Amino acid sequence: MSSALANGLAGAGGGLIAQILTYPLQTVNTRQQTERVVKKGLDVGHGTSPSGNQRPGGTLVQLLQVIKTEGWGGLYSGLKPSLFGTIASQGVYYYFYQVFKNKAESIAAARKVKGLGDGNVGMISWLAVAAMAGCLNVLLTNPMWVLVTRMQTQTQAERNIMERKRDALLKEASENSATASTLLVKLAELESSKPKPYGTLQAAGEVYSEAGIRGFWKGLIPTLIMVCNPSIQFMIYETSLRSLKEKRATNKHGVKQITALEVFFLGAVAKLGATVTTYPLLVVKSRLQAKQDIGSNVSLRYSGTLDAIVKMIRYEGLLGFYKGMSTKIVQSVFAASVLFTVKEELVKAFTILTYKSRKIRLNALR
C-alpha cells in the first residue's frame, strides 16, 4: 500500500470518528453562526426585527434547547451526508496532501545533494502543500457541505418563518379587531405545524430549485480562502512534530517514539491557532450556505460573499464574525486532536501490515 493511499484511508477513518463524536457541537455552532442579530438602535426596516428569534444562553443551554424542542435527532440533523462528506473530504485531502508532501520532500532532498538547504521541507513549502491539497478537496466536496449546512439549519429557518407568521397574525388581529377565539384558532393551527428536519434529497432539491447546479457551490470563495485554515494547521503541526522528533532523536536515554497523547496535544494546538485566525470566513461561508428564506429584511439576505461581508459589518458589527467561536474552538480542537491521533495510529497499523505482507511474500518466493 502506498503512503498516499495509507494516509488517505487513515485520514478518512480518523475524520469519521471525530465527526461522530463532535457532531452535536457542530450543529449548535452552525446555528450560532447563522443567527442574524442587528445592532441595537439600528433601524433596518422591511419586516420584523431579526433579534426576536435569538435564543439566549451558551453552548450547553442551546444543546439542551435543541434536545427539548427537537429531540436527540435534532443534534444529528444532516449526519448522514456529513459522514459521507467527511470520509470523502478527509480521504481526498490526506491522499493529495501525502502526494504533494512526498514531492516536496524529494525536492528538498535533491536540493540538499546540490548543496542547497538542509534537506528539510521549509515552512512555506508546508503551506503550499496543504493549500494545494485543500483546494482540490474544496472543489470536489463543497456540494456535500452545502447540504449538511442546510440540514443543520433547516429547523432554525422554519422556526423563524413561523415566528414571522405569528407576528403577522397578531398584527392583523390588532388592526382588524378580530375576536380572541378566531386568533386563538389561527395560532393553534400555526403551532400544530411544527417544523421537522428534512432529508438529503429534499435539501438537494431545494438548493437546485433556488440556484441550479451553481447552488451546490455556494460559499465556494470563502471556503477556498479558508484553505489557509488547514494550511496554518498543518504548518504548525508538521513543524512541531518535526521539532519533537529531532529532540527525541538526540535523547540517548529517553523514549524516542512519539506517543498518541503527544500527537493529540500537537493536533489541538495546531487547530486552535488555525481556527482563531480563520473563523470569520467560516461564519460567512455558513451564512451563504444556510437557507436564505428569511423574509423581506434586506439586512439578512446575501447575494454573494462581498455582500454578506458588507451587510454583516453594517448591521451586526465586527462581533458578528465571531458568533459561536467558543463552541467552534471546543468542537474543532477536540475533533482535530482525535483525527490526528486516530490517523497516526492507523498509519502505523497500515505500515506494519504492509511490512508483514511483504515479508510473507518474500518468504514464499524463497
Side-chain angles (χ1 to χ4, degrees):
M1 183 183 294
S2 68
S3 61
L5 182 57
N7 275 269
L9 292 173
L16 183 65
I17 294 172
Q19 184 78 336
I20 293 172
L21 292 176
T22 64
Y23 196 79
L25 283 174
Q26 187 184 120
T27 298
V28 170
N29 180 239
T30 302
R31 296 186 181 195
Q32 290 171 337
Q33 291 170 352
T34 54
E35 284 177 350
R36 289 80 179 299
V37 183
V38 174
K39 290 184 290 187
K40 291 182 179 180
L42 185 60
D43 182 18
V44 296
H46 301 285
T48 306
S49 171
S51 60
N53 56 36
Q54 183 187 21
R55 287 180 299 281
T59 302
L60 181 59
V61 172
Q62 293 197 26
L63 280 168
L64 295 175
Q65 181 68 24
V66 173
I67 295 172
K68 180 181 177 181
T69 58
E70 304 170 39
W72 286 95
L75 292 175
Y76 291 91
S77 298
L79 179 62
K80 290 180 181 179
S82 177
L83 292 181
F84 183 76
T86 296
I87 293 173
S89 181
Q90 296 297 336
V92 167
Y93 184 85
Y94 280 105
Y95 176 82
F96 285 108
Y97 178 82
Q98 191 64 36
V99 169
F100 296 140
K101 177 182 176 181
N102 291 344
K103 185 64 176 178
E105 288 176 339
S106 65
I107 291 173
R111 284 172 55 83
K112 183 180 180 180
V113 172
K114 296 177 182 179
L116 302 172
D118 58 359
N120 289 319
V121 178
M123 192 173 294
I124 300 300
S125 296
W126 282 131
L127 284 170
V129 165
M132 289 188 292
C135 286
L136 283 171
N137 174 39
V138 167
L139 291 170
L140 292 173
T141 64
N142 196 74
M144 287 178 279
W145 297 116
V146 170
L147 297 181
V148 170
T149 302
R150 281 298 181 100
M151 295 177 75
Q152 287 176 332
T153 58
Q154 167 66 11
T155 304
Q156 182 183 36
E158 291 295 335
R159 184 182 292 111
N160 294 343
I161 293 172
M162 286 182 63
E163 288 181 358
R164 290 203 306 275
K165 290 180 178 178
R166 185 183 296 109
D167 290 341
L169 286 174
L170 293 173
K171 183 179 179 181
E172 181 184 353
S174 63
E175 292 176 349
N176 299 331
S177 300
T179 61
S181 59
T182 303
L183 177 61
L184 289 174
V185 170
K186 290 182 178 180
L187 289 175
E189 290 177 354
L190 181 63
E191 193 65 30
S192 64
S193 58
K194 292 183 178 180
K196 297 179 181 180
Y198 62 170
T200 306
L201 291 178
Q202 187 177 348
E206 187 179 79
V207 172
Y208 183 79
S209 65
E210 288 178 5
I213 294 296
R214 293 178 59 186
F216 292 96
W217 275 269
K218 276 188 177 181
L220 182 63
I221 293 176
T223 307
L224 282 173
I225 299 173
M226 274 191 63
V227 163
C228 61
N229 181 296
S231 300
I232 294 171
Q233 175 186 350
F234 274 88
M235 178 191 69
I236 297 172
Y237 176 75
E238 293 286 0
T239 303
S240 302
L241 186 62
R242 186 181 71 190
S243 177
L244 186 58
K245 285 180 178 179
E246 288 174 351
K247 287 182 180 179
R248 289 291 168 82
T250 58
N251 188 352
K252 297 180 180 180
H253 304 289
V255 178
K256 294 184 180 295
Q257 290 291 328
I258 307 298
T259 66
L261 183 60
E262 288 170 326
V263 171
F264 183 92
F265 281 113
L266 286 179
V269 171
K271 190 62 178 179
L272 178 61
T275 299
V276 172
T277 305
T278 62
Y279 190 77
L281 287 169
L282 184 61
V283 175
V284 174
K285 177 188 78 75
S286 295
R287 294 282 184 97
L288 291 170
Q289 292 180 347
K291 188 173 182 177
Q292 293 292 303
D293 186 10
I294 34 68
S296 59
N297 196 322
V298 294
S299 69
L300 308 182
R301 188 175 295 280
Y302 310 134
S303 61
T305 302
L306 184 60
D307 184 48
I309 293 172
V310 170
K311 285 182 177 176
M312 286 179 68
I313 293 173
R314 178 182 176 186
Y315 296 111
E316 301 176 60
L318 294 177
L319 290 179
F321 291 95
Y322 292 92
K323 284 184 176 179
M325 189 171 74
S326 59
T327 305
K328 184 61 180 177
I329 288 175
V330 174
Q331 182 268 324
S332 62
V333 168
F334 181 65
S337 302
V338 171
L339 189 153
F340 278 120
T341 303
V342 174
K343 173 184 171 293
E344 294 296 335
E345 293 302 310
L346 288 175
V347 168
K348 288 178 185 177
F350 286 141
T351 303
I352 292 172
L353 288 173
T354 302
Y355 173 77
K356 288 183 177 180
S357 178
R358 288 177 179 173
K359 191 173 181 180
I360 291 172
R361 286 201 299 269
L362 288 172
N363 291 334
L365 293 173
R366 291 176 182 174

